[in-house]
Amino acid sequence: MASPNLSSAFLLSLLLCNLLVSPSFSELCNPADKKVLLAIKKALNDPYMLASWTADTDCCDWYNVACDDTNHRIIQLTIFDGPLSGQIPAAVGDLPYLQMIDLNRLSHVTGPIPTSLGKLKNLTFLRLSYLNLTGPIPTSLGKLSKLTFLNLSHNDLTGSIPSSLTSLNNLDAVLLNDNQLCGKIPIGGKLQSSDASSYSNNKRLCGAPLPSC
Ligand SMILES: *[C@@H]1O[C@H](CO)[C@@H](O)[C@H](O)[C@H]1NC(C)=O
Ligand SMILES: *[C@@H]1O[C@H](CO)[C@@H](O)[C@H](O)[C@H]1NC(C)=O
Ligand SMILES: *[C@@H]1O[C@H](CO)[C@@H](O)[C@H](O)[C@H]1NC(C)=O
């Protein structure tokens, strides 16, 4: 007669345990993604624009992000036009299923492009435009082999264009205009497929499709 008692004790403890740890709502959101998004929100000083990002709601219902229909991982991060300030948190690189990052017209977003974006192997679309980004284009972006669209225009990026970008063979568009870039545009990949306007209004860029150095 010991085993029924044991199993009911076990069931009781399981029940208590569940009552203690299970969230009071059901959600599709992946817990790892949620943790990263809440860290991103905190790093951006809890901006009003991200008010829907709260721990007690499903991150697949939040504004400014989108989840995959089948695995419910975060695949899009899009923030436009607003009073967001601070730097792009390195934690963005910890959303491994991201396919699209679109941060656009956020003139109080400053600092460098995080090297960690190079970890996002499924990224196809990267737009960081009309922000106030400074520092170099990270070499690590050359690892984003699925990238089809890269728009880093209208920032204050400095340094030369990393030659690693020539390995992005799926690029349909590359926009680096209106920055402070300098040096020779690396030859190869899709970097010569765009017209000169994609590189215009920089500091001292030269080489095809701009005039030779
Ligand atoms: C990336 O995309 C592939 C193909 O769609 C998919 O199988 C994989 O789960 C995605 N995510 C990661 C983190 O690799
Ligand atoms: C962002 O850059 C613009 C143009 O370069 C400048 O006028 C503005 O003051 C900058 N804003 C911030 C918050 O740094
Ligand atoms: C790059 O982004 C800027 C800002 O959103 C936009 O004005 C421009 O049209 C974009 N370029 C392309 C080719 O999509």
Side-chain angles (χ1 to χ4, degrees):
M1 294 311 280
S3 68
N5 281 335
L6 231 158
S7 66
S8 55
F10 175 71
L11 281 175
L12 185 68
S13 65
L14 203 70
L15 189 73
L16 279 174
C17 188
N18 269 328
L19 283 173
L20 291 175
V21 302
S22 70
S24 53
F25 62 102
S26 69
E27 60 181 341
L28 297 172
C29 178
N30 178 280
D33 287 351
K34 185 178 214 174
K35 199 173 162 200
V36 170
L37 290 170
L38 290 172
I40 290 171
K41 182 186 180 188
K42 194 173 174 204
L44 292 168
N45 306 308
D46 282 329
Y48 175 70
M49 292 183 82
L50 303 182
S52 68
W53 294 17
T54 59
D56 59 354
T57 56
D58 187 341
C59 76
C60 292
D61 294 333
W62 294 354
Y63 293 127
N64 303 108
V65 288
C67 281
D68 183 83
D69 284 339
T70 43
N71 68 15
H72 311 298
R73 301 300 301 248
I74 295 290
I75 52 170
Q76 289 182 13
L77 174 66
T78 55
I79 310 180
F80 287 171
D81 263 330
L84 198 70
S85 61
Q87 302 197 354
I88 300 174
V92 174
D94 298 327
L95 295 167
Y97 288 79
L98 270 184
Q99 296 169 13
M100 173 192 245
I101 299 177
D102 196 355
L103 306 182
N104 193 5
R105 297 183 192 273
L106 303 162
S107 63
H108 297 280
V109 171
T110 58
I113 298 174
T115 304
S116 64
L117 297 192
K119 291 191 284 184
L120 300 172
K121 294 290 155 58
N122 276 356
L123 204 65
T124 56
F125 185 105
L126 178 59
R127 176 161 64 175
L128 307 171
S129 183
Y130 288 98
L131 280 59
N132 270 27
L133 300 177
T134 52
I137 298 173
T139 303
S140 63
L141 297 190
K143 291 191 282 184
L144 302 174
S145 58
K146 293 189 183 173
L147 206 61
T148 58
F149 184 84
L150 177 65
N151 188 342
L152 306 177
S153 65
H154 296 273
N155 284 290
D156 284 313
L157 299 171
T158 51
S160 54
I161 299 173
S163 59
S164 64
L165 298 193
T166 62
S167 54
L168 300 177
N169 286 314
N170 293 311
L171 275 184
D172 293 326
V174 51
L175 290 306
L176 302 177
N177 54 286
D178 296 271
N179 278 292
Q180 303 291 328
L181 298 166
C182 65
K184 189 173 191 299
I185 299 171
I187 293 177
K190 301 287 174 137
L191 296 187
Q192 277 68 43
S193 306
S194 320
D195 58 41
S197 64
S198 302
Y199 297 99
S200 61
N201 298 320
N202 273 287
K203 205 174 171 187
R204 277 189 307 272
L205 272 183
C206 59
L210 294 177
S212 57
C213 299

